[in-house]
Amino acid sequence: MALNYHHSRRKSNSDSAASWLYEPIVHLAERVSSAFLIFISIVLMVVSQIHPNLLSETRTVAYDLVSPIMATVVKPVYAVSNWVDHVTGISNLVSVNAKLTEENAKLYKWYEKALQLEAENRSLRDLVNMVDMERKSYVTARVIADPGGPFVHSVIVWAGTRNGVKEGQSVVTGKGLVGRISETGHKAARVLLLTDLNSRVPVVIERSRQRAMVAGDNTDKPKLIYLPDGASVEKGDRLVTSGHGGLYIPGIPVAVVEDVFPGKTITVRPLADLDKLEYVQVIDFGMNMPLAEKDDPVYSIPTSTPNK
Amino acid sequence: MTIEPQIPAKWLTIASYVLPAIVLIGSVLLSIMPVHVIGYKNILPPFVYAVVYYWSVFRQRTYPASLAFLTGLSIDLLIGSAAVGVNAFVLVAMRWLLVAQSRFLSGQQFIAHWLVYTIVTLLGQIAVWMLYSLLMRDVLPLVPVVIGSFFATALFPLFYGVLHNVHRVIEMARETP
């Protein structure tokens, strides 16, 4: 089908003096207002660098305005997405079934072991009188917007201060860590994902107990940094939060080591499925420290975990 | 394809005011819709650019510079980056450039508009990438910008069709006594 849109410009049909003056004045006003607004944009960019939190209140107002609309609009979007998953899932039923049967068999073996380890862990904790960091409360929230794009990795959830959500709270799914609450409005809150450039998560390698940091870089595979030379790390190693810096409680699954290049970068794959977030849990561990800047010393020097 | 609806004058007038707003707000909301496709963030097309392009070329008065600024600012606030003002800057500059060339562009065939839109989108996205990289003091990935521009170009005929029909409704409302 040939697309042939042709627009003819409407001619001015008045030759009066007023019309002769009107068009140039309008054009001049147009140019002046555009130049002024470009200047204001540049001022905003500079000011937002000097005072990053200056517009935080305005941002939360923006989420609160948009979130009721998005909360309504995403319902059919999710319904369609789930239907597509369901339909495509039917074609994979046989292979998925076989895989699940195999996994089930392995899990039965681990179940008995887990019960044993739990009992042992409990008695050891009692023996050393260890103070537990228990989960105080949590809110399950729906993801209603994904506004970031390639430059900012964040999502907006349909839960805010009215639901007890506060800045700094951890956000998880059943599979692992998603990120942290970076801003809260009354009805909605922003979650900074762990793949974002500004995200830093102190972790420990589960196998070797070596401390490191998962650093987001706006790609799907964040980097593992601050590993000492000669540290033991292999592809497939699980990373869990170390609890250092008081940013997250220890033990939350974070990622799996994906690629290890000797002398070069180590990339990791987040355990949580960050491309398919629908529901997340916002957890209050009573450690709601505000987010630090990317270059803040808290990210570079692991400190001891504060106990409750 | 042009729609010629038989609509009462009163509804035409209301539509001529409401439809442009709906299209603009819709394009912003489409940009922040969560889509469960792996890697979608990396191919996200700038939907709002098509709206800015069309109104800047054909209906400058419907889309003044202040509205371009507010659109960009809304996107900046919703994105949540500390670098506020980037999209506002790019959209106002884009509009200014297009308005300056609107006399030439408004008489062109669709294919010319598609080509110019492709160039404008790529330049706009590269400007956004440069500004974010500068303000975040890090070289951000450029590939998502290029891929997003490609998808925006591919979707342009669809947006152009919608906007063309909205434009027709506004013209019909103006012509109806």
Side-chain angles (χ1 to χ4, degrees):
Chain A
M1 181 175 75
L3 295 171
N4 188 17
Y5 302 108
H6 183 75
H7 296 268
S8 58
R9 192 161 171 79
R10 186 183 282 272
K11 282 187 183 175
S12 173
N13 55 16
S14 169
D15 290 328
S16 67
S19 173
W20 181 75
L21 278 175
Y22 179 70
E23 289 285 337
I25 289 172
V26 164
H27 287 142
L28 182 64
E30 176 77 46
R31 286 194 189 109
V32 168
S33 67
S34 296
F36 175 70
L37 289 167
I38 285 176
F39 172 72
I40 296 292
S41 307
I42 295 170
V43 167
L44 275 174
M45 281 189 254
V46 171
V47 166
S48 66
Q49 289 299 293
I50 299 168
H51 296 289
N53 293 326
L54 190 69
L55 291 166
S56 180
E57 285 288 327
T58 317
R59 274 198 288 267
T60 56
V61 167
Y63 312 149
D64 281 343
L65 280 173
V66 164
S67 53
I69 306 170
M70 293 306 297
T72 309
V73 167
V74 291
K75 283 179 190 167
V77 172
Y78 281 142
V80 168
S81 174
N82 291 337
W83 179 81
V84 168
D85 281 345
H86 178 72
V87 167
T88 53
I90 288 173
S91 62
N92 298 332
L93 268 178
V94 171
S95 61
V96 168
N97 200 23
K99 192 176 158 194
L100 284 173
T101 307
E102 193 187 325
E103 265 182 32
N104 218 16
K106 284 183 193 165
L107 285 170
Y108 269 126
K109 289 179 196 167
W110 277 105
Y111 175 62
E112 294 299 327
K113 187 81 181 166
L115 287 176
Q116 254 177 31
L117 287 170
E118 192 186 21
E120 196 180 304
N121 198 278
R122 201 180 305 124
S123 68
L124 286 170
R125 281 172 182 266
D126 288 341
L127 198 65
V128 299
N129 203 23
M130 184 166 172
V131 177
D132 273 339
M133 284 180 144
E134 288 179 5
R135 185 164 69 181
K136 283 172 103 177
S137 62
Y138 66 93
V139 170
T140 301
R142 174 174 245 172
V143 173
I144 57 169
D146 187 354
F151 304 120
V152 177
H153 285 208
S154 66
V155 295
I156 295 178
V157 295
W158 185 229
T161 50
R162 67 178 176 176
N163 306 102
V165 172
K166 294 176 203 156
E167 189 182 312
Q169 287 175 342
S170 305
V171 180
V172 301
T173 63
K175 291 184 180 176
L177 185 72
V178 170
R180 293 189 85 191
I181 298 290
S182 60
E183 280 171 333
T184 46
H186 180 59
K187 299 174 199 163
R190 173 180 298 283
V191 179
L192 188 76
L193 301 181
L194 68 97
T195 50
D196 186 82
L197 188 66
N198 292 302
S199 170
R200 296 289 183 271
V201 181
V203 295
V204 65
I205 301 172
E206 211 168 40
R207 179 180 56 86
S208 61
R209 310 308 297 174
Q210 177 63 55
R211 292 180 207 160
M213 187 87 68
V214 168
D217 57 357
N218 278 3
T219 66
D220 295 332
K221 293 185 185 173
K223 311 254 182 309
L224 191 66
I225 61 174
Y226 298 143
L227 264 180
D229 293 336
S232 169
V233 59
E234 294 169 3
K235 183 174 174 174
D237 276 345
R238 254 172 59 110
L239 307 172
V240 298
T241 50
S242 64
H244 288 100
L247 300 171
Y248 301 92
I249 69 152
I252 304 176
V254 176
V256 166
V257 175
E258 183 88 341
D259 287 302
V260 179
F261 302 104
K264 292 183 188 172
T265 323
I266 299 171
T267 57
V268 303
R269 177 175 48 82
L271 286 166
D273 203 346
L274 300 181
D275 282 323
K276 290 192 172 188
L277 294 173
E278 190 174 340
Y279 287 99
V280 296
Q281 275 195 341
V282 181
I283 302 178
D284 182 5
F285 287 112
M287 299 171 69
N288 304 328
M289 287 179 63
L291 288 180
E293 292 297 319
K294 194 168 72 165
D295 302 322
D296 195 293
V298 74
Y299 286 130
S300 58
I301 305 169
T303 60
S304 58
T305 308
N307 284 330
K308 269 176 54 178
Chain B
M1 182 175 68
T2 305
I3 296 170
E4 295 281 357
Q6 301 298 321
I7 303 170
K10 180 182 152 194
W11 289 109
L12 263 181
T13 309
I14 294 170
S16 71
Y17 287 109
V18 166
L19 281 178
I22 289 175
V23 167
L24 182 63
I25 293 169
S27 66
V28 172
L29 294 182
L30 203 59
S31 304
I32 64 172
M33 189 72 65
V35 174
H36 291 172
V37 171
I38 294 171
Y40 180 70
K41 268 189 215 304
N42 296 325
I43 63 166
L44 182 69
F47 296 110
V48 80
Y49 283 18
V51 178
V52 172
Y53 178 89
Y54 193 94
W55 293 141
S56 302
V57 171
F58 297 112
R59 296 204 76 87
Q60 296 91 19
R61 306 249 170 99
T62 300
Y63 196 63
S66 53
L67 198 52
F69 177 80
L70 286 173
T71 309
L73 189 62
S74 308
I75 294 171
D76 286 327
L77 292 173
L78 287 171
I79 282 177
S81 164
V84 176
V86 169
N87 284 285
F89 173 88
V90 169
L91 290 186
V92 173
M94 189 185 289
R95 184 193 173 277
W96 192 358
L97 202 74
L98 289 167
V99 166
Q101 302 301 319
S102 60
R103 276 184 190 270
F104 165 71
L105 286 171
S106 60
Q108 300 300 314
Q109 300 287 322
F110 170 74
I111 202 77
H113 287 292
W114 203 352
L115 180 63
V116 172
Y117 174 74
T118 304
I119 295 167
V120 164
T121 298
L122 197 58
L123 288 175
Q125 286 284 82
I126 288 174
V128 169
W129 169 77
M130 279 173 59
L131 286 168
Y132 272 127
S133 294
L134 187 67
L135 295 170
M136 290 182 182
R137 295 182 288 277
D138 203 337
V139 179
L140 299 174
L142 183 59
V143 169
V145 163
V146 174
I147 297 176
S149 303
F150 169 76
F151 279 100
T153 301
L155 291 170
F156 181 66
L158 175 67
F159 277 93
Y160 195 96
V162 169
L163 290 161
H164 174 67
N165 284 296
V166 173
H167 178 73
R168 292 282 307 162
V169 166
I170 298 171
E171 288 290 303
M172 283 165 63
R174 284 182 64 186
E175 285 162 10
T176 307

